Amino acid sequence: MKVMMWAIAATLPVAAAGIAAQGNVIGQFIDHRDIGQPASPGEASYDPQRQRYRITAAGQNMWADRDDFHFAWKRMSGDVVATTRLDFVSPAPRPGDGGYLHRKGGIVLRQDLDPDSAYVDVLRMGNQQMSLQYREVKGGQTRLIWINTPRQGTVGLTKIGDYAYLSVLGADGKLHHAGGSFKIRIRGPYYIGLGVCPHDPKARETMAFSDVRIAAAPAGTRKPGGTTLQTINIGTPPEQTVIHHSSGPVSMTGWSASSEWVHFSSEGKARRAKAWDSDVVETAQPPQQAARLVAPAVALGIARQVSPDGRSIAYLTGTPGKTPSMAQDVVLRLAPVVDGKPATDKAVELVKLWGNAASLPRSAWSPDGKTIAFISLD
């Protein structure tokens, strides 16, 4: 491949925050700048011959209630479909360095350019995983859904109404919905483009993006649909993992005694998957399950499941005043059990789901009480 001359638009640091001047047009993007307060200014460039973008960024993280990264964007509104091929250009950090596991880059959609903006993004991560991250409200907590896949070269983000979806490459080389959709309300015009963060305030990360396609969703585009089996570790509630996604129903059938494997039925087959690795799915018969504790006989949500040690209870709450249905948002919550009763005033929200009581199976809790499996409808 011939080496072509780059059309470069580097950010110009101004003020203490290192914010770039407006009007740095590169390719299809009308501007780029640092978001937050990276230790050094980022930069972006575009090669029109190869139709490839390069973004170099400093920044501590894109997480919790604020972000530090470099962002190239354009303004859009309404439904959108965005895809790109993305590659790390910088050498991999050494094990133990800040960015070894969580350096990241991908497609980013933000309500505004403030560090604490509501947003959704699809990212390639340093730990060989893809993630769908989101902050539902300005200044809120970032949450993410892990997607383990060996095919990480291309990623897609689709926004349909208030719902966002991640797509990854399948074995056929085509993009497919990966499961684990969620609801986020982005109002009016938004910013969408490419972002990079090294996850290390002392480092700089460069990523290359090619075949970047960001356009309004074609008329009649529908939600992808399907069923997703997911897990969430109660020690890290902002993080979820997609175990298996299917276009048809998925039924949770149990756990292995070691809490390592989730057993389920999908497409007429009995299978099992690693509790934290969606890339390992095997045909297997469901194990014999130990007796489950009976949930307290109280009016508590749509479904309720007590942890193996009886100290916690997971339950779903629907829309107040409405009869639970398959077309209703529900929230998976976790509350401590005190003197045999759930202390709902100390409950924490684990995740919002699209569906009803079927989202929390009877075998939801792992035997060690550290993980909850649930089913979401896309």
Side-chain angles (χ1 to χ4, degrees):
M1 184 176 292
K2 296 181 180 180
V3 178
M4 302 295 181
M5 184 176 295
W6 289 81
I8 301 177
T11 51
L12 301 177
V14 297
I19 296 176
Q22 295 292 311
N24 296 313
V25 177
I26 57 168
Q28 64 184 282
F29 302 114
I30 63 172
D31 208 347
H32 66 93
R33 58 172 267 192
D34 288 328
I35 304 297
Q37 294 183 305
S40 62
E43 58 189 49
S45 62
Y46 177 60
D47 179 349
Q49 299 297 325
R50 303 165 84 179
Q51 298 186 8
R52 186 175 72 170
Y53 298 85
R54 284 170 65 105
I55 296 179
T56 298
Q60 182 171 356
N61 206 354
M62 299 167 68
W63 190 246
D65 60 355
R66 70 179 309 278
D67 308 313
D68 291 324
F69 71 108
H70 198 77
F71 185 35
W73 76 83
K74 59 183 176 181
R75 300 298 303 276
M76 293 188 67
S77 60
D79 297 342
V80 66
V81 177
T83 61
T84 185
R85 175 173 175 81
L86 64 177
D87 298 282
F88 288 110
V89 176
S90 302
R94 296 173 301 178
D97 286 352
Y100 179 70
L101 294 177
H102 296 296
R103 59 178 178 154
K104 62 195 72 174
I107 302 168
V108 181
L109 187 159
R110 298 176 71 86
Q111 184 72 76
D112 57 52
L113 299 179
D114 296 337
D116 63 349
S117 172
Y119 78 92
V120 54
D121 59 32
V122 291
L123 303 174
R124 182 174 181 176
M125 311 287 284
N127 61 354
Q128 302 303 307
Q129 296 186 92
M130 306 292 268
S131 74
L132 180 65
Q133 292 190 172
Y134 58 102
R135 183 182 293 127
E136 295 177 85
V137 297
K138 190 177 182 66
Q141 167 69 52
T142 293
R143 299 176 184 272
L144 71 78
I145 302 172
W146 290 114
I147 308 291
N148 298 304
T149 171
R151 296 174 287 272
Q152 300 182 21
T154 301
V155 67
L157 170 65
T158 302
K159 174 187 175 297
I160 304 295
D162 291 338
Y163 289 85
Y165 304 89
L166 165 66
S167 296
V168 298
L169 288 175
D172 59 1
K174 299 179 181 180
L175 283 170
H176 297 273
H177 173 48
S181 60
F182 64 89
K183 189 174 185 178
I184 181 170
R185 183 163 295 173
I186 299 293
R187 297 174 175 83
Y190 51 78
Y191 299 80
I192 185 168
L194 308 174
V196 174
C197 175
H199 191 78
D200 185 342
K202 301 177 182 179
R204 290 169 65 82
E205 184 69 46
T206 299
M207 293 190 72
F209 302 85
S210 55
D211 299 325
V212 178
R213 302 169 187 263
I214 303 176
T221 300
R222 298 181 178 181
K223 299 175 184 178
T227 310
T228 306
L229 176 61
Q230 296 174 245
T231 58
I232 189 166
N233 188 301
I234 63 173
T236 54
E239 302 182 20
Q240 310 159 42
T241 298
V242 166
I243 297 300
H244 180 73
H245 174 73
S246 173
S247 59
V250 176
S251 299
M252 169 85 179
T253 55
W255 286 85
S256 65
S258 65
S259 298
E260 180 182 8
W261 295 91
V262 179
H263 288 255
F264 62 97
S265 176
S266 174
E267 301 169 358
K269 298 179 181 180
R271 305 177 178 181
R272 70 175 187 173
K274 290 277 189 176
W276 295 99
D277 192 347
S278 55
D279 193 39
V280 180
V281 178
E282 303 174 351
T283 300
Q285 293 302 312
Q288 291 293 113
Q289 294 297 296
R292 292 282 173 176
L293 295 175
V294 178
V298 295
L300 183 66
I302 302 170
R304 49 192 187 273
Q305 300 296 335
V306 178
S307 62
D309 61 9
R311 297 180 179 179
S312 301
I313 184 169
Y315 61 102
L316 299 171
T317 56
T319 304
K322 291 186 177 181
T323 302
S325 72
M326 296 297 285
Q328 183 185 115
D329 292 336
V330 295
V331 179
L332 173 59
R333 302 181 188 275
L334 181 68
V337 175
V338 180
D339 296 328
K341 297 181 180 180
T344 56
D345 59 325
K346 298 180 180 179
V348 296
E349 178 183 303
L350 296 181
V351 62
K352 292 180 179 178
L353 303 173
W354 179 249
N356 68 354
S359 298
L360 192 62
R362 292 180 59 83
S363 54
W365 284 93
S366 61
D368 62 10
K370 295 181 180 180
T371 306
I372 297 173
F374 58 92
I375 296 170
S376 61
L377 305 176
D378 298 319

